[in-house]
Amino acid sequence: MTLTAIILFPLLGGVLAWAAGWKSAASARRIALIAAALQCLLVAALALRLRLAPLAGTASPWLAELRMPWIPQIGASFHLAADGLSMAMLLLTAFLGLVAVLVSEGASGRNGGGLHLCLLSALAAVSGVFLAADLLLFFVFFEAMLVPVYFLIILWGDLREDRFAAALKFFLFTQASGLVMLVAMLVLSFLNARATGQLTLDALELRGVPLAGAVALLLPLGFFLAFAVKLPMVPLHSWQPVTYAAIPASGGIILSGVMAKVGAYGLLRFVLPLFPAASSQLAPWAMVLALAGILYGAFAAFAQTDLRRFIAYSSINHLGFVVLGIFSMNGLGQRGAFALMVAHGCSVAGLFVLAGVMERDGGSRDMARLGGLWAAAPRLGAFALLLIMATLGLPGLANFVGEFLVLLGTFQASPRIAVLAALSTGLSAAYALRFMQRIFFGPRRGAEPAADLSGRQAVAALLLVASLLLLGLFPGTMLQAVNGVLP
Amino acid sequence: MLQLLWTVPALPLLGFALLALFGRRLPRAGVSVIGAGSVGLSAVASGLVAWGYITQTVPAAYSQCLWTWMEVGSLKVDMILWLDPISLVMILVATGVGFLIHVYSTEYMRDDADYARFFAYMNLFVGAMVVLVLAGSLPMLYLGWEGVGLCSYLLIGFWYDNADNARAAVKAFLVTRIGDIGMLIGLFVLWFSLGTLDIQPLMERAQLQWTPNSAVAVAATALLLCGALGKSGQLPLQVWLPDAMAGPTPVSALIHAATMVAAGVYLLARTHVLFDLAPAVQCVVAVIGAATLLLAGTSALAQRDIKRALAYSTISQLGYMFLALGVGAWSAALFHFMTHAFFKALLFMAAGAVILAMHHEQDMFNMGGLRRRLPLVFWTFLAGAMSLAALPLVTAGFYSKDMILWSVLSSPKGGFLLWAAGVVGAFLTGLYSFRIVFLVFFGEEKGHASAKPGPAMMIPLVLLAVLALGAGFVEIPETLGRVALFSSFMGVHAAEASAVLGEGTQQVLAALLALGGLAAAVVLYLLRPGIVKAWVATPSGAALQRLCASGWGFDALYGMLIIRPVVALSSLCRDDFMAVVWRAVGICAEGAAAGLGRAQTGRLRFYMAGIALGAVVVLALVVLL
């Protein structure tokens, strides 16, 4: 029941905020904030309970689950389940949801209630994705994530960008690849029914379906395509920079911090367990592709002058490491990928908070017109510095734990790729420091925002800083969470 | 007492946290107390730990496990502190000299608007360095290692409104990062070869499992060496160090003496067991050290900026330490590190006093005659310069450099050529040290020197001057009466030596060359300054001077070989050429839509014809297939 509540509760909060929004944007925001905070508590309480008392003595890998018939004719059931990996992702989702609501632009006049409805329903959909143990249910939540993001871009996006083009591009890429995944799901279920006579779409029961011939490669590729677009992996990334540029900062936090991780989560949850043989066959290619993304993202990020596009390409760079770790096919690399998913979620959310502050009151996000901001906004500068250090993988901050383990795992799988990926961290240092230098150091140029971090934004920044430091120095609990899920 | 070990890194880090969070709301006095006090207490704690270590009934290394950092499968990385003679010397120097630099900074930075930020960074710097040297596992060492890099970045770019400073800071970070990547890969090699990353087990397993000069030993040590070359400013990664002078002068003192640059020397000394198993790499270390000391020594001769001249002298002295490490004489390298920490901190801080008195003038050719205006600064600087030049018998630098030179000559891994490079370097050192002294403190007075520095600056200078002259007496060579406190504390016993020259002969030669350098400086910069001026006026002289002044043109070389291609590649990626494919898909779709849209004419005739044609095609297919 708690599992359903985790999905429904933000939705309820969103509807209430939307209703309140007709009267005043401020009360909508207050309600949304309370809902997001309660959601954090709810997920944290569940995580704590499961940690203290997992389902002992059962063969099931799930710590908690709920199963109800849904569409028996095609074998689909309403099956929610949580293990360590999904609990960790749920915690990240709720936490970044709180951060997003904290810094939301809700008071800007355009109906703040609707904005919060979109944010919170996006949270609900993502939570559903992390809980779904049935393929069709997963697909429904996976597609449901698109809708709020689409409206966030169209209705509350940056007026300086071509919002409609961005929203369309985002929708087309994810929708098209999602449909390919749906076909792969149905074919898999069909093949299973033919082999065993049992009609099911359950993720666990579909493990070990005998596959042969072209299907054995095409089916995993169908899943892979959808997740690669979500991450995104080069060369399927072209929706991402425009989307990051147009989306409001609060939506960007959820899109980049959590939804991008759905891609990596899908690889770990579905592609590897459903198609173990094909995965190890595809792994070298996936690693090469990941390396290409790492390098491409790093070079492109170095050349960007737009704050948002910088965030986009640096994300591509980092998520390449995540894919690299996943397809290293060993425990070190995959745990590193998991740690990096969480860490990058926090650090990229921080960059979006930063972007939100910079753009407040029409501030410029063109780095060529910024400079010397530290003097006027030392708190913002310190926050940015910490994010930049996390981005370039400074030990002591969360991202390092992920990168270190990913590289170690990759080194085991392929020393050559690991060396190249390690060398690319020199490039990430270069683009990260250039970002810092352009905005905060040097002489002032006049397009800088006037105000420092304050109020809610400062709270959000503090939360993110604390999580990056805690996860960087004491990653033990986080790494233990996926024991039993990953090798 | 030993249980206090964790407070040595914790105190400066706590100071950093307090200053970072509340620094801007604290009064200056409060900032000074926290900033200098935390490092002072840390130095006291180091002293207590040292006392506890020495008075152990059975001398043994001490370790303190704080918590487990990462644990995945068989990989277990602990946050563990490891105290042995090597790390003990390092923390004593880092916190002791660090404390003096902090005290000095309270006066030097008095009028800076960002007083609290400065001390916050400085505390973090000392904290990170202590973490580095106390680390019991390589990933934790890497944590301190990168922390030191971060602090150098922050402090070199401390005056950030000048874009040049920020650029120098980025340069320092990136150049050292390149070395660090090598080191990180070295960690991977060690992990897969030996199955642990804790330093002591690593050494034990390496001795059991590696054969000397095996591929894995060479690869692992060469990769570790990359990191050390970056941090310690050795060829070919020395280019960041001279530019690091952009930071406030106390920062230069901290980077060059007690912390950052020592890290590479420390890493090689800490892992000397591994390097002993890879003589090929040791040979490379020695050659790099010798080449660096000569190159930097000649570069120091051509600098106008007093801090840049001192920076090149640091690179050169680090070259001596690498030379020693390369022949396996790691305790000699550490001894020279210690004396160098004293006299180089002294030289930088005295130079800072001069710069402050000259209203931030750093060009030595605009100074002169300052020994009358700033007598105490002059005497302390002179003590530092004498120690740097290794003037025989009375200076600490003499004893440490002598130990290195004798090791190089007598060790089977060394040899005459390496030793010759060392003694030529000794001549250069004498020359450039006293060039600075004569240009700054002698000759006619130029410019206007203002008020003398106060006690917060002078007391550290005097203390360091005493150490710069006297600290060498803990290790006196056999020929002069044999004291071996330092090397016996390190657990190193003098091996039977054989060399082409006797120990006494080589000492006399080296001493003569150092004195020769002093004499040459007297002639060229005091008595007959015309000689240099006339020579520089000739075309070949001018060219050589330019080459030396630019540090042998490495910056230009790297700009062409590395920076230009990277920038070109990145501007190629800026507009995301891979997205073009998808844009083409979009254009095709739009074209198709426009084409098919034209079919929607609204004329019934056209539709009927279409339907008929379609029906014919379908029927034909059915019939034919």
Side-chain angles (χ1 to χ4, degrees):
Chain A
M1 212 50 231
T2 332
L3 298 184
T4 330
I6 286 175
I7 300 171
L8 288 181
F9 186 74
L11 204 59
L12 178 74
V15 172
L16 286 177
W18 175 68
W22 293 109
K23 280 192 181 153
S24 89
S27 63
R29 198 165 153 168
R30 204 170 307 128
I31 290 173
L33 194 59
I34 292 169
L38 285 177
Q39 171 82 354
C40 274
L41 289 180
L42 185 66
V43 178
L46 178 66
L48 214 60
R49 207 190 74 201
L50 293 183
R51 217 177 121 70
L52 296 179
L55 297 177
T58 56
S60 159
W62 306 116
L63 295 172
E65 65 174 325
L66 170 85
R67 192 166 196 164
M68 288 189 294
W70 184 27
I71 317 174
Q73 289 83 355
I74 58 165
S77 60
F78 188 82
H79 185 188
L80 300 178
D83 61 5
L85 177 62
S86 33
M87 278 322 295
M89 297 316 289
L90 283 176
L91 271 174
L92 179 72
T93 308
F95 175 63
L96 293 186
L98 178 65
V99 170
V101 175
L102 269 172
V103 302
S104 73
E105 301 82 342
S108 65
R110 291 176 283 172
N111 180 2
L115 176 92
H116 288 110
L117 174 60
C118 285
L119 288 178
L120 288 170
S121 53
L123 281 189
V126 182
S127 304
V129 163
F130 290 135
L131 281 172
D134 180 276
L135 291 185
L136 192 68
L137 190 62
F138 176 81
F139 177 76
V140 169
F141 284 125
F142 190 80
E143 294 291 303
M145 295 192 302
L146 297 187
V147 182
V149 174
Y150 181 80
F151 284 111
L152 278 173
I153 299 170
I154 296 278
L155 298 176
W156 292 278
D158 194 320
L159 297 172
R160 291 167 291 191
E161 295 286 332
D162 188 348
R163 289 171 290 154
F164 294 95
L168 186 66
K169 211 168 182 183
F170 168 71
F171 208 95
L172 282 179
F173 265 87
T174 28
Q175 180 78 356
S177 61
L179 287 175
V180 174
M181 177 173 73
L182 179 66
V183 171
M185 285 172 171
L186 295 177
V187 172
L188 182 67
S189 164
F190 172 73
L191 289 175
N192 179 55
R194 211 164 59 175
T196 65
Q198 191 200 0
L199 204 56
T200 182
L201 276 161
D202 192 277
L204 271 188
E205 288 163 13
L206 285 173
R207 287 186 187 184
V209 177
L211 298 169
V215 183
L217 273 184
L218 285 175
L219 289 188
L221 278 177
F223 281 84
F224 182 81
L225 182 73
F227 298 136
V229 166
K230 210 62 195 189
L231 268 165
M233 280 176 77
V234 170
L236 300 166
H237 66 280
S238 81
W239 62 271
Q240 192 216 29
V242 281
T243 307
Y244 278 20
I247 198 166
S250 54
I253 290 171
I254 293 178
L255 180 64
S256 64
V258 198
M259 288 187 184
K261 310 303 175 293
V262 170
Y265 172 83
L267 292 175
L268 285 173
R269 172 69 79 217
F270 297 112
V271 176
L272 298 190
L274 290 178
F275 313 102
S279 300
S280 25
Q281 209 178 334
L282 289 172
W285 299 101
M287 284 171 80
V288 169
L289 208 58
L291 181 67
I294 289 172
L295 294 172
Y296 188 74
F299 277 115
F302 186 78
Q304 299 307 313
T305 51
D306 180 79
L307 183 58
R308 294 289 193 92
R309 286 181 173 79
F310 169 85
I311 300 177
Y313 288 106
S314 86
S315 282
I316 291 174
N317 172 251
H318 278 88
L319 292 171
F321 275 95
V322 172
V323 178
L324 202 58
I326 290 174
F327 283 100
S328 70
M329 304 302 272
N330 57 49
L332 282 171
Q334 291 184 350
R335 255 158 247 252
F338 161 70
L340 194 54
M341 278 154 76
V342 177
H344 177 259
C346 294
S347 65
V348 80
L351 287 173
F352 267 104
V353 171
L354 178 74
V357 178
M358 301 285 294
E359 293 157 16
R360 190 171 47 186
D361 312 321
S364 176
R365 49 181 232 214
D366 180 1
M367 290 193 261
R369 292 173 55 213
L370 297 169
L373 186 56
W374 190 294
R379 259 179 292 178
L380 188 64
F383 176 53
L385 182 68
L386 197 113
L387 295 173
I388 283 307
M389 288 303 144
T391 302
L392 61 75
L394 191 83
L397 298 171
N399 302 47
F400 172 75
V401 177
E403 277 183 25
F404 181 75
L405 294 176
V406 164
L407 287 173
L408 205 56
T410 309
F411 196 84
Q412 192 176 352
S414 157
R416 225 172 310 167
I417 291 183
V419 167
L420 287 172
L423 283 175
S424 84
T425 61
L427 284 172
S428 41
Y431 73 65
L433 294 182
R434 188 173 207 206
F435 171 89
M436 195 66 203
Q437 190 186 356
R438 277 183 149 163
I439 299 181
F440 289 96
F441 301 144
R444 300 204 67 164
R445 292 184 209 277
E448 298 84 12
D452 202 350
L453 269 181
S454 63
R456 290 164 190 267
Q457 285 162 327
V459 174
L462 213 61
L463 283 174
L464 290 169
V465 167
S467 59
L468 284 171
L469 270 170
L470 279 177
L471 293 175
L473 289 172
F474 308 96
T477 314
M478 172 175 68
L479 291 173
Q480 276 162 20
V482 290
N483 278 352
V485 185
L486 303 178
Chain B
M1 291 303 174
L2 287 172
Q3 285 79 6
L4 282 175
L5 188 57
W6 65 275
T7 59
V8 178
L11 283 164
L13 293 176
L14 178 71
F16 160 72
L18 289 176
L19 291 174
L21 290 174
F22 311 111
R24 275 178 306 142
R25 268 167 269 161
L26 286 172
R28 268 170 198 253
V31 173
S32 311
V33 168
I34 294 177
S38 64
V39 179
L41 283 177
S42 173
V44 171
S46 312
L48 289 174
V49 167
W51 178 249
Y53 188 85
I54 293 166
T55 54
Q56 284 181 114
T57 42
V58 185
Y62 173 77
S63 75
Q64 195 169 37
C65 186
L66 303 178
W67 72 85
T68 298
W69 189 13
M70 289 180 245
E71 190 171 7
V72 175
S74 58
L75 173 77
K76 186 163 183 280
V77 177
D78 285 324
M79 286 286 191
I80 185 169
L81 302 180
W82 175 265
L83 186 77
D84 65 359
I86 302 179
S87 46
L88 187 57
V89 168
M90 296 296 291
I91 57 170
L92 285 172
V93 173
T95 56
V97 176
F99 173 62
L100 293 180
I101 296 172
H102 275 73
V103 171
Y104 172 92
S105 306
T106 56
E107 187 181 330
Y108 189 88
M109 298 299 287
R110 194 177 42 198
D111 300 323
D112 199 282
D114 266 332
Y115 194 68
R117 187 164 64 92
F118 179 80
F119 276 98
Y121 292 168
M122 293 284 274
N123 279 3
L124 184 61
F125 209 151
V126 174
M129 187 65 196
V130 174
V131 169
L132 192 168
V133 295
L134 282 178
S137 68
L138 283 176
M140 185 181 169
L141 187 147
Y142 191 71
L143 168 78
W145 189 269
E146 292 290 291
V148 168
L150 165 67
C151 294
S152 68
Y153 164 74
L154 294 172
L155 283 165
I156 293 167
F158 181 75
W159 286 316
Y160 54 81
D161 40 359
N162 182 342
D164 286 339
N165 296 349
R167 215 166 293 136
V170 172
K171 183 174 175 186
F173 196 97
L174 291 184
V175 172
T176 53
R177 182 87 199 228
I178 292 170
D180 298 351
I181 292 170
M183 178 178 163
L184 193 64
I185 300 172
L187 258 58
F188 302 156
V189 173
L190 287 174
W191 159 251
F192 284 109
S193 165
L194 301 172
T196 180
L197 284 171
D198 290 329
I199 296 173
Q200 297 313 319
L202 208 59
M203 303 295 136
E204 286 158 20
R205 288 185 202 182
Q207 277 175 322
L208 292 175
Q209 297 178 17
W210 285 1
T211 48
N213 264 346
S214 61
V216 65
V218 169
T221 48
L223 287 163
L224 288 181
L225 175 64
C226 288
L229 293 180
K231 275 283 185 292
S232 289
Q234 297 295 293
L235 274 175
L237 297 175
Q238 84 288 14
V239 289
W240 65 273
L241 239 178
D243 288 8
M245 295 301 104
T249 309
V251 175
S252 312
L254 197 58
I255 290 181
H256 286 250
T259 58
M260 179 122 172
V261 296
V265 177
Y266 170 75
L267 177 68
L268 264 54
R270 170 55 81 206
T271 56
H272 66 90
V273 175
L274 302 183
F275 280 82
D276 284 338
L277 290 167
V281 177
Q282 275 188 321
C283 178
V284 172
V285 174
V287 170
I288 287 178
T292 307
L293 79 89
L294 289 177
L295 181 138
T298 48
S299 300
L301 276 175
Q303 303 303 317
R304 297 180 67 95
D305 184 320
I306 181 169
K307 283 172 72 180
R308 282 184 85 88
L310 288 174
Y312 276 108
S313 87
T314 302
I315 300 176
S316 177
Q317 297 306 307
L318 287 162
Y320 277 105
M321 296 179 216
F322 273 69
L323 185 58
L325 290 164
V327 300
W330 55 272
S331 66
L334 282 182
F335 185 38
H336 195 54
F337 153 73
M338 188 180 80
T339 59
H340 175 259
F342 297 143
F343 64 70
K344 193 48 67 71
L346 167 63
L347 286 170
F348 266 112
M349 296 204 290
V354 169
I355 291 167
L356 211 57
M358 295 296 289
H359 312 285
H360 292 279
E361 173 64 73
Q362 300 192 9
D363 189 336
M364 290 187 284
F365 288 86
N366 295 336
M367 302 174 184
L370 286 172
R371 74 176 187 282
R372 284 178 293 274
R373 286 261 173 205
L374 305 167
L376 198 53
V377 175
F378 163 67
W379 286 112
T380 53
F381 193 96
L382 187 65
M386 280 162 63
S387 197
L388 171 61
L391 295 191
L393 303 181
V394 292
T395 65
F398 168 72
Y399 294 102
S400 57
K401 201 176 274 180
D402 174 70
M403 195 169 160
I404 290 179
L405 289 174
W406 174 238
S407 314
V408 171
L409 189 62
S410 62
S411 159
K413 290 169 181 161
F416 183 77
L417 272 179
L418 290 171
W419 176 81
V423 287
V424 171
F427 173 79
L428 288 172
T429 312
L431 183 56
Y432 68 66
S433 311
F434 282 93
R435 171 177 176 263
I436 302 173
V437 172
F438 295 143
L439 284 177
V440 173
F441 293 101
F442 287 78
E444 59 189 293
E445 279 187 54
K446 294 171 197 160
H448 176 74
S450 66
K452 287 176 193 143
M457 283 167 74
M458 284 323 299
I459 292 171
L461 284 183
V462 172
L463 285 175
L464 283 170
V466 171
L467 285 169
L469 296 178
F473 296 122
V474 295
E475 184 83 18
I476 295 174
E478 200 118 30
T479 45
L480 299 169
R482 180 138 189 90
V483 179
L485 286 176
F486 191 85
S487 51
S488 64
F489 181 57
M490 288 289 153
V492 176
H493 304 289
E496 279 301 311
S498 61
V500 286
L501 300 174
E503 191 172 359
T505 324
Q506 83 88 19
Q507 267 160 10
V508 172
L509 271 175
L512 281 179
L513 275 164
L515 288 170
L518 165 61
V522 170
V523 173
L524 293 175
Y525 297 101
L526 207 57
L527 304 178
R528 298 258 184 285
I531 301 178
V532 176
K533 272 186 196 139
W535 181 70
V536 167
T538 64
S540 59
L544 191 63
Q545 202 239 6
R546 264 203 308 280
L547 187 66
C548 288
S550 69
W552 293 78
F554 275 90
D555 278 328
L557 187 72
Y558 291 163
M560 210 159 62
L561 287 183
I562 297 170
I563 298 174
R564 284 230 319 247
V566 167
V567 171
L569 251 174
S570 78
S571 52
L572 193 73
C573 296
R574 186 181 61 189
D575 298 323
D576 208 343
F577 61 84
M578 287 203 190
V580 172
V581 182
W582 301 106
R583 227 169 284 145
V585 173
I587 290 167
C588 289
E590 275 175 10
L596 291 173
R598 223 168 282 148
Q600 198 169 9
T601 54
R603 280 177 298 177
L604 202 57
R605 255 189 315 178
F606 185 75
Y607 293 161
M608 289 299 289
I611 290 168
L613 196 69
V616 168
V617 169
V618 170
L619 280 175
L621 282 176
V622 168
V623 170
L624 289 177
L625 297 178

